[in-house]
Amino acid sequence: EDSPWPFPKYYKNGSANTQHRSKFNVGPNGGVENMTDQNIDYWRKLAEGGNAKAMYNLGLCYYKGIAVAKNYEQAYDYFFKSAENGYADAKHNLAICCQLGRGIPASQVAAKEWYIEAAEANVSESMNNLGQMYQKGIGCDVDEKEAFKWFKKGADLANGDAMYNLGLCYYHGNGTRQNLTEALEWFQACAIASGEAKPKAEYLLGAMHFHGKGMPELDYKESLFWYRRSADHGYPPAQLQIGKLLVGTPKTPTKSPQAMVEGVRYLQMAAKNGEAEAYNMLGYIYSTGKLGKPDNEKSFECYSKAVDLGWGPSVPFLAHAYQFGLGTEKDIDKAIPLHERAARAGYSASMNALGGLYHDGTEVDRDFETALSWFEKAGDHGEAGAQFQCAIHKMYGMGCEANLREAKEWLEKAASQKHAESIRLLNEHFGGWPPPRPPDD
């Protein structure tokens, strides 16, 4: 899909296709991948004659191990000679060597000085990296205004990553006054440019249109466009977000089977890229049969992976699967620790489940006092079923002394959530539901 945005006016200062160096690069740039032994002899002769570009290319060959054995010390020496002869990109690569300690002991201060020299020679990638050093206090004190200055210089030279970082400055008000309209424009520019930050900018454009930031009102259709673009460019948070929007939630269900299928496809992409929440949503979709028949085995697999990735909301579902043997063998010894873990994290469903286990006494030794303790915790979190169980324990003195007043209070809490059994007991034993209104004065 083509971008709906016009070509930004600030591209007049440079090309959108500038060769990209990502923030704190893992290696310098250069077009030497097809270098041969014959070529490298040619470049050596030129370098010996003082050709700065030849020195630079030889440095790249040694840095990347192209046509020669990888040797960071040799790479650094050639970059240094090239920089001495005024080659700006060599200064940028010297900064990278200093940052990563390749061919020379690591020094963030020295890296910053080389970035400054390269930036002053209009290397836009150095401007972007220098902005990040000032922003994060690497090799210098944190200075958000100085960071903003360098991001702006790089952005004006059409560096996509600098455009993105400049947009973030405007978005958060870092080093400048917050201006969401400016942020939106720079994210749009980055989305059109090349660079590592491109899918991130597309993602933020989706978020800004979804929430109506930097524009008169939200635009759901435009939001989907940008989220989809970012997702298709491989950005996992966008794959998760477009998946969530397409499949819907229990409160906002999807509008069509096609949207559900597409949403699941994006969630699967996000899950493969390590998004734990995507596994959680897929677990729910498979367990509830949103794609047809329920598939408990796939659901169990997804919830397990989500838990392995640290996604807390999946823990009660995984515990439930082990408790009832859904998609896996029933294993109460695995279910109980998982329920306890979820309960400690505040998940009321697991509190209620633990109450039920200790109340029934079929899987563990019956313990009404422990059961009531868990039911009360779940009831305090608003679980209507647990509130009903608290009332039963209070009525019959199970794990406590009988207390009809407290039983009625628990029943009223559950009845206020339209819990049918609680309403029935209130009508039969406690004067009815809802309680009669006091007479008007």
Side-chain angles (χ1 to χ4, degrees), residues 24 79 82 146 158 169 183 191 253 279 292 294 342 345:
F24 302 132
F79 288 146
S82 179
E146 193 70 11
C169 288
Y279 277 118

Side-chain angles (χ1 to χ4, degrees), residues 273-289:
N273 285 314
E275 289 288 340
E277 187 179 357
Y279 277 118
N280 182 69
M281 292 194 70
L282 288 169
Y284 171 78
I285 290 167
Y286 290 131
S287 70
T288 53

Side-chain angles (χ1 to χ4, degrees), residues 109-130:
V109 174
K112 182 178 76 87
E113 295 306 315
W114 280 117
Y115 277 138
I116 289 175
E117 287 202 28
E120 290 175 346
N122 282 340
V123 178
S124 65
E125 293 84 358
S126 287
M127 296 172 183
N128 179 62
N129 287 8
L130 189 57

Side-chain angles (χ1 to χ4, degrees), residues 9-10 148 152 155-156 162-173 176-190 205 208 213-215:
K9 60 182 183 297
Y10 27 78
F148 174 84
K152 181 68 167 62
D156 285 340
M163 291 173 177
Y164 174 75
N165 287 322
L166 183 63
L168 288 178
C169 288
Y170 280 118
Y171 188 90
H172 295 292
T176 187
R177 297 181 68 175
Q178 186 182 49
N179 188 325
L180 295 181
T181 302
E182 282 284 336
L184 186 74
E185 290 185 5
W186 284 110
F187 290 145
Q188 289 167 4
C190 178
L205 285 170
M208 292 184 77
K213 291 187 175 182
M215 61 199 70

Side-chain angles (χ1 to χ4, degrees), residues 299-329:
S299 176
F300 172 79
E301 180 183 349
C302 288
Y303 282 135
S304 296
K305 288 181 177 178
V307 170
D308 288 343
L309 289 170
W311 189 253
S314 292
V315 177
F317 293 102
L318 187 61
H320 183 79
Y322 277 120
Q323 183 179 346
F324 295 100
L326 301 175
T328 186
E329 290 187 10

Side-chain angles (χ1 to χ4, degrees), residues 227-369:
Y227 277 139
R228 190 177 275 110
R229 279 277 292 266
S230 178
D232 291 342
H233 284 134
Y235 192 50
Q239 294 165 349
L240 172 63
Q241 188 63 23
I242 189 72
K244 290 167 67 175
L245 292 175
L246 289 170
V247 304
T249 67
K251 293 183 179 179
T252 58
T254 187
K255 295 180 180 179
S256 72
Q258 293 82 3
M260 174 62 74
V261 170
E262 186 185 11
V264 167
R265 180 173 67 85
Y266 278 114
L267 289 175
Q268 290 169 337
M269 293 165 61
K272 287 180 181 178
N273 285 314
E275 289 288 340
E277 187 179 357
Y279 277 118
N280 182 69
M281 292 194 70
L282 288 169
Y284 171 78
I285 290 167
Y286 290 131
S287 70
T288 53
K290 297 294 184 182
L291 295 175
K293 292 179 62 176
D295 190 330
N296 287 326
E297 288 187 4
K298 282 188 176 180
S299 176
F300 172 79
E301 180 183 349
C302 288
Y303 282 135
S304 296
K305 288 181 177 178
V307 170
D308 288 343
L309 289 170
W311 189 253
S314 292
V315 177
F317 293 102
L318 187 61
H320 183 79
Y322 277 120
Q323 183 179 346
F324 295 100
L326 301 175
T328 186
E329 290 187 10
K330 184 175 180 178
D331 191 335
I332 200 68
D333 290 331
K334 290 183 179 179
I336 288 178
L338 285 168
H339 275 312
E340 290 174 341
R341 172 180 164 185
R344 288 193 299 270
Y347 292 102
S348 59
S350 281
M351 299 172 191
N352 192 38
L354 288 166
L357 284 167
Y358 285 106
H359 175 89
D360 295 339
T362 55
E363 306 287 352
V364 296
D365 292 336
R366 175 173 280 172
D367 186 336
F368 287 138
E369 187 174 348

Side-chain angles (χ1 to χ4, degrees), residues 134 142-150 174-176:
Y134 279 112
V142 171
D143 189 333
E144 291 187 345
K145 289 185 177 180
E146 193 70 11
F148 174 84
K149 180 189 82 173
W150 286 111
N174 293 334
T176 187

